């Protein structure tokens, strides 16, 4: 995140709230306000590290089992209730980079009624990355709700007709190919197939911008 050093956007925010208060509702002793957009400063402040409220500390780099990550950023192994390690951060980097660059989520993870749906989330992953490896699914009891023993999809959601190429519309030709190659280094079913942070820093797309 970027700190706010241009106080004028805060003054404008206060004046907008004063002249046109945001909608709100009261539930018990809580007042819940509708969000209001904050202006974009002309000069950005210092960068500040942040998380989405689902970060976890670990005393080791061994496998963990705790339920982590915000909904649309969940790595496949977290979604399938498998043990995970630091490689979920590489997955997070990939989906967050996509969100920031494309200005929309790569995965929606909800059904037509906007209910949270692991089936729709997994279907989106299959559309983007192809079918998951059989050996990965055989290590997850939860996976059997969505795949048969031969790793064929049996989930309730349809596999959408999408791909990274169809969804990416900011770049063309060589730059698009480099960007999608960069994304695929992070968006991998198996944690061990994802690139390391050091490898990503040397990526041709990053070095070209």
């Amino acid at each position: 995140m970027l700190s706010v050093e241009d106080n004028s956007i805060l003054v404008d925010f206060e004046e907008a709230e004063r002249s046109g208060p945001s909608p709100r509702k009261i539930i018990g002793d809580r007042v819940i306000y509708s969000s209001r957009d904050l202006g974009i400063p002309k000069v950005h402040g210092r960068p500040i590290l942040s998380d989405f409220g689902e970060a976890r500390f670990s005393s080791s780099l061994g496998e963990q089992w705790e339920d982590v990550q915000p909904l649309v950023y969940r790595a496949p192994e977290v979604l399938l209730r498998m043990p995970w390690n630091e490689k979920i951060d590489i997955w997070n980097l990939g989906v967050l980079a996509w969100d920031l660059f494309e200005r929309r989520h790569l995965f929606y993870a909800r059904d037509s009624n906007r209910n949270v749906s692991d089936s729709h989330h997994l279907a989106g992953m299959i559309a983007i990355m192809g079918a998951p490896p059989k050996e990965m699914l055989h290590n997850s009891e939860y996976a059997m709700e969505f795949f048969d023993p031969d790793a064929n999809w049996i989930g309730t959601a349809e596999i959408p007709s999408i791909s990274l190429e169809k969804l990416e519309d900011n770049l063309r030709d060589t730059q698009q190919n480099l960007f999608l190659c960069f994304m695929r280094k992070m968006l991998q079913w198996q944690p061990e197939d994802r690139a390391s942070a050091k490898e990503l820093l040397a990526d041709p797309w990053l070095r070209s911008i």
Side-chain angles (χ1 to χ4, degrees):
M1 301 182 69
L2 298 173
S3 63
V4 175
E5 296 183 4
D6 179 4
N7 289 334
S8 66
I9 66 171
L10 300 178
V11 173
D12 292 343
F13 184 91
E14 291 174 350
E15 181 55 38
E17 185 64 27
R18 185 181 299 113
S19 59
S22 300
R24 68 201 66 188
K25 63 182 178 181
I26 299 175
I27 299 178
D29 59 352
R30 298 175 60 205
V31 181
I32 302 173
Y33 298 85
S34 176
S35 298
R36 180 187 292 276
D37 289 338
L38 185 65
I40 299 176
K42 295 180 179 179
V43 179
H44 293 297
R46 298 178 63 187
I48 299 172
L49 290 177
S50 180
D51 64 70
F52 296 138
E54 292 292 342
R56 297 291 186 275
F57 287 104
S58 177
S59 58
S60 69
L61 294 180
E63 292 183 331
Q64 310 291 314
W65 287 86
E66 191 174 3
D67 192 17
V68 292
Q69 300 182 300
L71 178 64
V72 297
Y73 298 106
R74 288 190 166 183
E77 59 269 35
V78 174
L79 188 58
L80 291 172
R81 304 178 185 178
M82 299 171 64
W84 51 265
N85 58 25
E86 73 280 1
K87 282 291 189 169
I88 63 172
D89 289 334
I90 299 298
W91 175 273
N92 273 168
L93 179 61
V95 288
L96 182 57
W98 181 275
D99 284 4
L100 295 174
F101 193 70
E102 301 295 334
R103 297 188 177 184
R104 57 181 173 178
H105 290 316
L106 181 57
F107 302 109
Y108 184 56
R110 294 180 183 273
D111 62 20
S112 58
N113 295 317
R114 301 192 66 185
N115 296 315
V116 173
S117 170
D118 289 346
S119 184
H120 285 75
H121 201 166
L122 287 167
M125 290 182 177
I126 294 171
I128 295 298
M129 300 184 294
K134 287 184 180 180
E135 58 270 24
M136 180 179 186
L137 298 179
H138 292 163
N139 290 324
S140 166
E141 290 186 13
Y142 187 54
M144 295 302 99
E145 295 190 20
F146 309 100
F147 301 90
D148 69 16
D150 293 321
N152 297 309
W153 177 250
I154 58 172
T156 56
E158 292 187 10
I159 307 299
S161 298
I162 59 173
S163 66
L164 290 182
E165 286 78 7
K166 290 180 180 178
L167 295 174
E168 204 297 304
D169 56 9
N170 287 326
L171 301 170
R172 297 291 181 271
D173 304 324
T174 300
Q175 279 297 303
Q176 185 185 67
N177 291 334
L178 287 173
F179 173 67
L180 296 183
C181 182
F182 173 66
M183 293 301 302
R184 289 190 170 102
K185 290 180 179 179
M186 298 173 279
L187 301 179
Q188 295 288 329
W189 284 105
Q190 305 246 54
E192 59 270 24
D193 293 335
R194 296 171 203 152
S196 67
K198 184 177 182 179
E199 289 168 339
L200 292 171
L201 284 173
D203 182 82
W205 184 73
L206 277 186
R207 298 173 69 87
S208 71
I209 58 178

